[in-house]
Amino acid sequence: MSVEKIHTVVVGAGQAGVAMSEHLGKNGVEHVVLERGRIAERWRSMRWDSLVANGPAWHDRFPNLDFPGDPDAFVPKEQVADYFVAYARNNDAPIRCGVEVTSVERVAGRPSFRIETSDGVIEARNVVAATGPFQKPNIPPLVPAEAGLNQMHSSDYRNPAQLPEGAVLVVGAGSSGVQIAEELMRAGHRVYLSVGPHDRPPRSYRGRDFVWWLGVLGKWDAQAQAPGAEHVTIAVSGARGGETIDFRRLAAQGMVLVGMTGAYANGKLSFSDDLARHLERGDRNYLSLLDEADAFIANNGLDLPEEPEARTLGAQVDCVANPMHELDLADAGVSTIIWATGFSSDYSWLKVNAFDEAGRPKHKRGVSSEKGIYFLGLPWLSGRGSSFIWGVWHDAKHVADHIVIQDNYLSYSH
């Protein structure tokens, strides 16, 4: 069997792989991007129908191409995927779709890797794992299949018509969980939402979107999450033109808020007595950002309209004042549980010494502990912005620059 030889192989053609290809191409680095589905496949097939980007179009983009239309709009998911297709085309990205990478191993005695794919074998000096963090949906093994409920991960949810009649329990109140829960409530389902630790920024304040505030306040520059906040989700939404997520407002409209989901037994789910604490933490995060924004405006003499009503928190609601600690699913008419509980990575195909004891990538800004292996598209790869479209573009530039620098060292012959 013949072996194709290419300088660098990028695995994955989502936003990370497309950005990586641009920077490699601009540096004259021979490469190929291998994608088992289509470009930006997860935007098309692992998101619900009504999803829009969580950041406005002027901000949540690559530097060299604007989204068409209103720069303040929140772009629908299909248009986001189309954007990456257009971006790849504009840069003549050498992307091969429908090619799955099954194994990567170091070649003994040579500075290269053997990449086995569904379309043959490639040998490359460098491999960039740009598959991102959304590999394996996490569904806690709490409610057994014999309970007879319709259970799905949020990545399999598409629209309300997909679900049977009856109430719905949504577990997880990050951006995905709360948006899905609100959509189902608006469609007429009784919805229970299990709320854990979260940050709740304002969608906008004093005429500026929260992404702008994070920028001018220097919060995008954070290089690591604060201790204890590694698994805290961000509750923010671009739905219906963008709105601040207010859990008390949702409860006042009929949604039942409960604490973190605990054990299941005899048809009943238990919930922790932590709902009020999580909501109070979210409120503190929200008000703290308003305080910093007000101080920035005053210190810089900006003429932005005051917005005192933004500090008015929702009224106390019964499900918070008298929290539910147990739910009999049958008595409540719950027919569906949607697990908005995140993902785990799957690097089983990457058979190299680039992981710690827990299987997490060992790297500094995407440069791994295994020479020639790189990671891209991971949360907090270099900082807070790494999970965002614009952030991954800058991370990709750093990784591409590192590859070029290493090539320069290896080509030295004097």
Side-chain angles (χ1 to χ4, degrees), residues 27-104:
N27 281 288
V29 177
E30 178 204 26
H31 69 283
V32 66
V33 183
L34 304 180
E35 167 57 53
R36 65 184 176 185
R38 297 167 291 179
I39 295 174
E41 180 65 46
R42 286 186 177 83
W43 278 97
R44 299 194 192 277
S45 60
M46 292 186 69
R47 305 287 191 272
W48 63 97
D49 294 346
S50 64
L51 175 69
V52 298
N54 275 337
W58 67 264
H59 184 267
D60 218 5
R61 64 178 179 86
F62 288 159
N64 299 317
L65 182 66
D66 293 335
F67 279 100
D70 181 2
D72 290 318
F74 298 90
V75 181
K77 71 181 187 77
E78 288 292 336
Q79 291 182 27
V80 174
D82 291 343
Y83 174 89
F84 292 122
V85 172
Y87 202 89
R89 184 185 305 116
N90 289 351
N91 288 287
D92 295 321
I95 298 174
R96 301 178 189 175
C97 292
V99 179
E100 182 174 7
V101 174
T102 57
S103 176
V104 173

Side-chain angles (χ1 to χ4, degrees), residues 300-313:
N300 290 275
L302 299 184
D303 184 19
L304 295 177
E306 293 189 4
E307 193 178 342
E309 64 274 15
R311 292 181 176 276
T312 302
L313 301 177

